[in-house]
Amino acid sequence: MEKTKKLFIKTYGCQMNVYDSERMSEALGEDGYEETLNPNEADMILLNTCHIREKAAEKVYSELGRFKELKANKPDLKIGVAGCVAQAEGEEIIKRQPLVDLIVGPQSYQNIADLASNAVDGRKQIDIAFPEEDKFSLLKQKRAGQRGPSAFLTVQEGCDKFCAFCVVPYTRGAENSRPVSRVIDEAKHLVESGVKEITLLGQNVNAYHGTGLDGKEWSLAKLIWELEKVDGLARIRFTTSHPNDMTPDLIEAHGTCKKLMPYLHLPVQSGSNKILKRMNRSHNAESYLSLISKIREVRPDILISGDFIVGFPEETDKDFEDTISLIKNIEYGQAFSFKYSTRPGTPAAERDQVSEEVKTARLHKLQDLIKKQQKNIQDKMIGRKVHVLFERKGRFDNQLVGKSEYLHAVNVTDPTISVGELKQVHIDKSNPNSLSGSVSN
Ligand code: 5AD
Ligand code: SF4
């Protein structure tokens, strides 16, 4: 279809939103929209939003406020809110910011093209339903489009765990896995368009339990083994996981599956058993530590990444110190850490809150420790040979940037290599946020 309209999408939050934005852009592309990076020339602006912490949710409203003038000068401009704020706040968004024309929750993206066409003459469109059907199978896909060498592929959505701080079970709904055949078809399609690395996404991806090729329920490990057979696909990753769903077959796959990369994002949130219990995490610090040991037994060089929340209600200095000792025990190659943020409707929102000052101090202490561990692990890469998949051009002439199997960013300056190539690289130097090296055969 001829592209006559311009679409500007801004994505907030997690990688699932990045994937969803790509799929929305593709679907709207089939409907005559072409993506632009300039909101001033857009016919439609879509904000794909995140509700996980208060700050993320508030950003949406300040961003929407900025479009007031644009909309006043261009009354036909359509402004849409997608993602988790759309799901959680629905019609409230229009009440707070009447310039919004359409609201579409993460389970309704298959309707986005219709909603966009109906959002004319001030007719507001709201779709935050949770349909049964796999929305991705209904979203039109770009045909043989050229992509970068690394892509996301959502295989599972939603969560049944109900951690006491988290809005995900409410915004993304119950756990739902896509059938294996659809995932494999999509992976093949991605590989045909130039992809060499696929990151399987899910809010709780290791709880994957999709219908397998034999009609039975398959685990994430089984899905990974099936993907391993896809010719041309070089690397498989998955994120994000819950410790309780690290099943023996998935642990085993880290030792035996050649395409599965030695990097595991396994959030623990806290190292205090009291807090873990109050978080409703249904694991404790010891079970997490022993799980990591098991994984390291089968894959000693695996890089471990995690998520932490500091200042969860009723967290004492002692509880926080337990988190610090757990971190010292594990040695993280990467971690994401957050101050607890009260989310309306979640159980922890009602409890005794920790002061902002204490949260800030704890966050700094935790992040200092993580930074040291990260640097230490990165520095140990010097002198080693890693495999780098080159993803984009760097800032300097003939410089390319890619990712090692451990997900470290690696820069190489070499005129003979190109984006999309996978090369063995000798690491020469460790920089603040990356490594540098040279191709070595
Ligand atoms: N406050 C702070 N951090 C949170 N996360 C989820 N909910 C909250 C909250 N209410 C963090 C968790 C999760 C990551 C995606 O976001 O660490 O693993
Ligand atoms: Fe939220 Fe993850 Fe807990 Fe599910 S497992 S409720 S997504 S933090």
Side-chain angles (χ1 to χ4, degrees):
M1 160 175 274
E2 203 193 337
K3 309 225 173 166
T4 51
K5 296 168 280 186
K6 298 245 191 262
L7 168 71
F8 172 80
I9 304 191
K10 185 158 179 174
T11 307
Y12 301 83
C14 66
Q15 291 143 328
M16 311 256 309
N17 272 9
V18 175
Y19 175 82
D20 284 355
S21 290
E22 272 169 21
R23 297 297 308 265
M24 281 191 273
S25 166
E26 287 178 19
L28 289 165
E30 294 296 303
D31 216 49
Y33 283 92
E34 181 185 21
E35 224 179 307
T36 170
L37 298 175
N38 177 5
N40 297 326
E41 62 169 32
D43 299 290
M44 173 145 78
I45 291 177
L46 266 185
L47 301 184
N48 192 6
T49 62
C50 170
H51 201 246
I52 198 108
R53 283 168 291 274
E54 195 180 352
K55 258 197 199 147
E58 281 306 312
K59 264 191 212 153
V60 178
Y61 291 100
S62 54
E63 186 74 36
L64 284 171
R66 265 182 245 150
F67 298 135
K68 257 190 193 147
E69 211 186 303
L70 212 57
K71 178 94 172 175
N73 294 332
K74 201 176 186 182
D76 287 344
L77 169 67
K78 291 172 194 177
I79 297 186
V81 177
C84 294
V85 177
Q87 189 67 47
E89 299 185 8
E91 216 168 325
E92 283 301 308
I93 300 173
I94 296 180
K95 289 202 184 121
R96 231 176 118 176
Q97 189 43 277
L99 58 70
V100 172
D101 301 291
L102 70 134
I103 294 195
V104 55
Q107 301 309 323
S108 303
Y109 295 154
Q110 69 281 10
N111 302 332
I112 191 134
D114 287 345
L115 292 168
S117 343
N118 294 337
V120 284
D121 304 328
R123 270 185 278 143
K124 310 283 186 195
Q125 303 293 314
I126 302 177
D127 190 346
I128 49 173
F130 276 101
E132 284 290 299
E133 188 57 43
D134 172 16
K135 69 178 179 208
F136 296 115
S137 68
L138 298 171
L139 273 172
K140 290 182 206 148
Q141 261 194 305
K142 203 165 24 182
R143 279 174 279 267
Q146 266 316 110
R147 289 166 199 270
S150 182
F152 294 133
L153 200 175
T154 294
V155 300
Q156 180 276 345
E157 275 191 284
C159 180
D160 293 339
K161 296 274 190 293
F162 291 93
C163 297
F165 50 81
C166 187
V167 286
V168 166
Y170 313 98
T171 52
R172 293 271 176 165
E175 255 172 39
N176 178 32
S177 301
R178 297 176 68 196
V180 172
S181 60
R182 297 226 178 109
V183 175
I184 299 293
D185 285 351
E186 195 171 325
K188 287 182 177 160
H189 180 86
L190 289 171
V191 170
E192 277 162 22
S193 27
V195 169
K196 296 210 168 118
E197 172 182 275
I198 290 180
T199 303
L200 304 175
L201 298 180
Q203 258 95 28
N204 210 344
V205 73
N206 60 343
Y208 178 87
H209 55 99
T211 306
L213 300 181
D214 54 4
K216 293 190 183 132
E217 206 172 273
W218 282 20
S219 64
L220 183 67
K222 257 192 121 170
L223 172 67
I224 289 171
W225 279 112
E226 195 61 34
L227 279 167
E228 164 109 351
K229 296 183 200 156
V230 174
D231 283 339
L233 180 63
R235 294 173 154 193
I236 305 166
R237 303 180 184 277
F238 61 89
T239 197
T240 175
S241 297
H242 190 285
N244 289 7
D245 293 311
M246 280 309 294
T247 46
D249 59 346
L250 189 55
I251 297 176
E252 184 57 35
H254 274 289
T256 45
C257 180
K258 293 263 177 327
K259 292 186 181 176
L260 186 58
M261 292 294 102
Y263 178 101
L264 179 64
H265 181 66
L266 198 60
V268 63
Q269 315 296 356
S270 167
S272 150
N273 286 342
K274 177 191 99 188
I275 294 296
L276 286 168
K277 197 158 196 176
R278 292 185 187 177
M279 284 178 164
N280 192 31
R281 288 287 294 178
S282 56
H283 62 77
N284 58 33
E286 292 74 30
S287 64
Y288 181 81
L289 289 167
S290 90
L291 177 60
I292 298 287
S293 306
K294 276 191 202 135
I295 298 164
R296 282 181 166 153
E297 256 167 50
V298 298
R299 188 73 210 231
D301 62 336
I302 196 162
L303 190 142
I304 302 293
S305 156
D307 285 347
F308 296 91
I309 296 178
V310 299
F312 184 78
E314 297 154 10
E315 184 188 70
T316 61
D317 286 342
K318 161 80 178 62
D319 294 320
F320 176 65
E321 283 311 316
D322 287 348
T323 303
I324 293 292
S325 353
L326 178 136
I327 295 174
K328 286 187 178 154
N329 215 317
I330 298 285
E331 299 248 3
Y332 284 90
Q334 187 169 19
F336 303 90
S337 47
F338 315 96
K339 290 191 235 179
Y340 170 71
S341 166
T342 314
R343 306 311 294 129
T346 58
E350 311 297 323
R351 302 184 193 156
D352 282 351
Q353 304 295 318
V354 171
S355 77
E356 201 53 30
E357 294 72 24
V358 170
K359 282 187 200 169
T360 306
R362 288 181 187 164
L363 188 68
H364 284 157
K365 186 167 175 193
L366 186 149
Q367 288 184 338
D368 285 347
L369 174 61
I370 295 279
K371 255 189 228 149
K372 272 191 208 129
Q373 296 192 338
Q374 234 171 326
K375 181 167 185 324
N376 196 14
I377 289 179
Q378 216 187 270
D379 290 351
K380 280 194 202 150
M381 292 286 160
I382 300 173
R384 279 189 55 184
K385 284 181 179 172
V386 296
H387 289 92
V388 178
L389 177 60
F390 291 99
E391 291 180 5
R392 59 184 171 85
K393 290 207 158 80
R395 272 190 295 154
F396 304 105
D397 274 357
N398 297 326
Q399 189 194 45
L400 289 185
V401 186
K403 294 275 165 60
S404 77
E405 46 275 70
Y406 307 102
L407 214 58
H408 285 127
V410 181
N411 311 312
V412 176
T413 302
D414 186 332
T416 66
I417 44 174
S418 19
V419 168
E421 283 187 315
L422 189 59
K423 296 268 183 200
Q424 183 164 273
V425 170
H426 179 273
I427 299 298
D428 305 316
K429 197 166 160 245
S430 171
N431 316 304
N433 291 308
S434 64
L435 296 165
S436 314
S438 35
V439 171
S440 130
N441 295 311

